[in-house]
Amino acid sequence: MSRRSGTSISWRRPFCRRSLVVGLVLVIVALAALGKLAYIQLFDGRSMAQAAAESRTVPHTIKAQRGRILDVNGRVLAQSLERYTIVGDPKAAADFVPIDCTKKTKENCHSIGGNPVGADGAAGVARLLAPELNMNAMELGGKLSVPGRYVILAKQVTPEVKRSIDKLGLAGIITAELSSERTYPHADLMGSLIGGIDAEGKGVAGLEQLENRQLTGKDGYEVYQQGMLGQQIPGTVTRSNPPENGKDVRLTIDQDVQWYVRQALKTGRDRFHADWALAVVQDTHTNQIVALADTDDYLAGSDDAKIHSSRAVAETFEPGSIGKTIAISGMLQEQLHTMSDKFTVPDHITVDNQQYKDAFDHPTEHWTLAGILQNSSNVGMVMAGDKYPDQKRYDYLTRFGIGQPSALGLPGESKGLLTTPQTWDRRTRNTVLFGQGYATNAIQLTNAVATLANKGVRSDQSIILSEGKTNANQVRVVDEAVAASLMNGMESVAELYQNTARVEGYRVASKTGTAEVADNSGKLTGIISDWVGVLPADDPHFVVTVVLKNPKSSDGVFGSITAGPVFAQIGEFLMQKYRVPASSPRTDAIPVEW
């Protein structure tokens, strides 16, 4: 054997050994794999299958619907409608290959108007989907061409559109997640009063906030297995709990009355060139709010409605001469006077170096206390209050609800401003007798007069029918005879202004007010003109309050001239709508002069 042959043999031996080692290792690995497979199949198959199923099993939230807000007759003011969020899977979209429609594939194919899609991947998905979403196909394709497995393509999609998308054959690529849309069929009718919700569906303003707990439901869920593309595998639901939708909230407000009152306010605002107008209509039998309106044009659910509270509960002002009804009630209850007491009243008077004047010049008059109320004499009120203690002046204001939060609890409601007698100066102690020196809102003012209409008993107001108890928390403020005397005097007030505020066929008990208020600069150049009326006076059904800010009229800006006609328009509507019987003639008027 040659030397070369020996070298070849020596080289082959290490190679063979290495080959044997590698082969042996492969055999051992193969045997291990076979052993593992056998173990899994024979001993651990069930647990592995369970683990695989668990990895595919996912919980899915089923959103609860928010409850509706209804008017007293069940008409919808706010509701949540079924809507869907359309979601795409970009990775699955990239792998999309459309199936052309043939006789064999017609049950499971893709086409656009009977024509082939003409593109694969995200572009093909976008071409199919864009017409249903009313979107640009190129824009939609761009949204589907991003990394990841989840992208929102459209929100607030209707059930009809969702069903159309389901027929496109894009399961696993395009999915629809159930959501809802809060809608307001009459959004301009009660904008700030209804308020709105945030992006999470939580009430953040108005009645949506006040009744959020009642309106909010409890989400449900389903637990099922999903495929590789995220689609639900049929028949794999393991657990489920249906959602509990929120409960409806029914208001005491009548949509028809609310609409009419709002229109009357807008007409009055425009006629008298006022900055704004507001009104409250309250049922005297139940103390329920029938209408709570203003001229603000905020749409329910809008950002403006969430920022601005209802003006009827948030706006505070000096009530002016309407406050005389409260002061006289206290004087009568404390037996300091009767409505027939006689006074000699000049048009100005000085007390404690403070001069007080009536709103108009007049000779010295011979008025009874009823006449002082009818002619709205500030001087007469100061004279009648000579023996009326400051603490009592304050006590009766609070008893009538002035400066106290109402039972409505509406977001943004102001309780007004009423300071204690210890803080009053020599002038304020007398101005509170004629509705100045303190601030109230229309809700408080309405209930104060409703107290007189209800024979001296004040009850909580309500605006939620499901929670409102008729005449809840009754408190006697003045005796029935005192309330009757005030109603008699207020009826004489209404008779004085029949030319501007008559409600044909019905007796009315009213009080008008006018007060100077601060403007934006802080100067007392602004005017509040208001009117509160009970009708019918002989059988009270409603109290109506109307307030205008900065009205302008060639006949004057007094409440009797500006707010009075708006009151009369609303009053006529109420009497006709509720078919209230006409009044009987008045026969018991207390003399206003002597």
Side-chain angles (χ1 to χ4, degrees), residues 212-543:
N212 186 65
R213 179 174 296 182
Q214 178 85 353
L215 293 165
T216 301
K218 183 179 180 180
D219 292 344
Y221 65 87
E222 281 186 343
V223 179
Y224 58 77
Q225 294 181 33
Q226 63 181 16
M228 293 181 61
L229 298 178
Q231 73 276 22
Q232 179 179 349
I233 300 175
T236 62
V237 175
T238 58
R239 296 192 309 277
S240 67
N241 189 37
E244 296 178 15
N245 292 333
K247 295 180 175 62
D248 291 344
V249 169
R250 182 170 293 199
L251 308 181
T252 62
I253 287 180
D254 186 311
Q255 178 181 294
D256 291 341
V257 179
Q258 181 78 10
W259 181 87
Y260 189 89
V261 170
R262 182 168 157 79
Q263 297 307 308
L265 290 174
K266 285 189 169 184
T267 300
R269 177 198 61 187
D270 296 343
R271 175 184 174 185
F272 297 110
H273 310 286
D275 294 350
W276 49 256
L278 59 85
V280 181
V281 178
Q282 181 169 323
D283 186 321
T284 58
H285 294 159
T286 63
N287 267 34
Q288 294 172 348
I289 302 299
V290 180
L292 190 65
D294 58 51
T295 53
D296 293 336
D297 289 320
Y298 305 131
L299 299 180
S302 68
D303 289 341
D304 282 336
K306 298 172 190 176
I307 294 171
H308 299 92
S309 300
S310 169
R311 190 180 293 277
V313 299
E315 194 74 42
T316 60
F317 49 88
E318 291 186 345
S321 292
I322 295 175
K324 290 169 182 171
T325 60
I326 298 174
I328 293 177
S329 295
M331 294 177 195
L332 267 58
Q333 184 66 28
E334 296 300 314
Q335 300 183 356
L336 299 176
H337 292 294
T338 66
M339 291 296 280
S340 58
D341 283 359
K342 301 174 181 179
F343 295 85
T344 301
V345 186
D347 66 354
H348 67 277
I349 191 175
T350 300
V351 177
D352 291 335
N353 295 321
Q354 300 293 313
Q355 188 179 69
Y356 303 93
K357 297 178 61 177
D358 283 343
F360 58 97
D361 295 335
H362 62 79
T364 298
E365 301 284 359
H366 291 87
W367 287 329
T368 63
L369 188 55
I372 289 173
L373 182 65
Q374 182 192 50
N375 292 279
S376 204
S377 171
N378 296 341
V379 173
M381 290 300 298
V382 174
M383 295 173 66
D386 182 49
K387 303 298 183 182
Y388 190 36
D390 289 0
Q391 187 62 46
K392 291 295 183 181
R393 302 178 189 200
Y394 174 84
D395 289 345
Y396 279 96
L397 285 167
T398 58
R399 290 180 192 179
F400 275 93
I402 303 302
Q404 313 299 309
S406 77
L408 300 181
L410 289 167
E413 180 181 346
S414 171
K415 70 175 185 178
L417 178 63
L418 175 62
T419 58
T420 60
Q422 292 74 25
T423 65
W424 293 349
D425 57 23
R426 289 179 297 173
R427 186 166 189 82
T428 302
R429 66 178 298 272
N430 283 320
T431 61
V432 297
L433 296 173
F434 46 84
Q436 296 180 20
Y438 61 88
T440 184
N441 63 28
I443 288 290
Q444 292 176 3
L445 204 57
T446 301
N447 209 28
V449 174
T451 299
L452 298 174
N454 287 321
K455 301 180 180 181
V457 176
R458 181 166 67 91
S459 302
D460 286 347
Q461 298 158 297
S462 62
I463 197 170
I464 308 299
L465 190 63
S466 59
E467 296 178 0
K469 295 181 180 179
T470 301
N471 293 326
N473 296 323
Q474 294 185 337
V475 177
R476 176 158 294 283
V477 179
V478 294
D479 293 339
E480 184 174 337
V482 171
S485 292
L486 261 295
M487 287 286 290
N488 192 307
M490 291 169 65
E491 196 167 349
S492 295
V493 174
E495 289 176 350
L496 184 64
Y497 299 113
Q498 288 193 56
N499 291 337
T500 59
R502 173 196 295 267
V503 179
E504 194 65 41
Y506 296 91
R507 289 161 53 183
V508 177
S510 293
K511 188 66 190 82
T512 175
T514 309
E516 293 181 338
V517 294
D519 59 16
N520 294 332
S521 67
K523 297 180 180 179
L524 292 177
T525 57
I527 293 292
I528 285 290
S529 298
D530 48 8
W531 176 290
V532 181
V534 180
L535 70 167
D538 52 327
D539 182 19
H541 280 57
F542 299 100
V543 177

Side-chain angles (χ1 to χ4, degrees), residues 9-23:
I9 292 172
S10 63
W11 176 81
R12 290 176 181 172
R13 289 174 181 170
F15 175 75
C16 290
R17 286 196 297 270
R18 286 194 297 271
S19 297
L20 287 172
V21 171
V22 171

Side-chain angles (χ1 to χ4, degrees), residues 45-73:
R46 182 175 297 177
S47 62
M48 292 294 290
Q50 183 177 350
E54 288 178 354
S55 69
R56 297 193 302 268
T57 301
V58 294
H60 175 71
T61 300
I62 305 175
K63 289 288 187 181
Q65 293 289 321
R66 188 171 176 84
R68 301 174 299 170
I69 298 177
L70 312 172
D71 89 329
V72 70
N73 298 309

Side-chain angles (χ1 to χ4, degrees), residues 145-159:
S145 299
V146 297
R149 304 297 301 268
Y150 186 97
V151 61
I152 294 176
L153 303 176
K155 294 182 178 181
Q156 304 300 338
V157 171
T158 64

Side-chain angles (χ1 to χ4, degrees), residues 17-35:
R17 286 196 297 270
R18 286 194 297 271
S19 297
L20 287 172
V21 171
V22 171
L24 183 60
V25 170
L26 291 175
V27 169
I28 293 171
V29 170
L31 290 173
L34 288 172

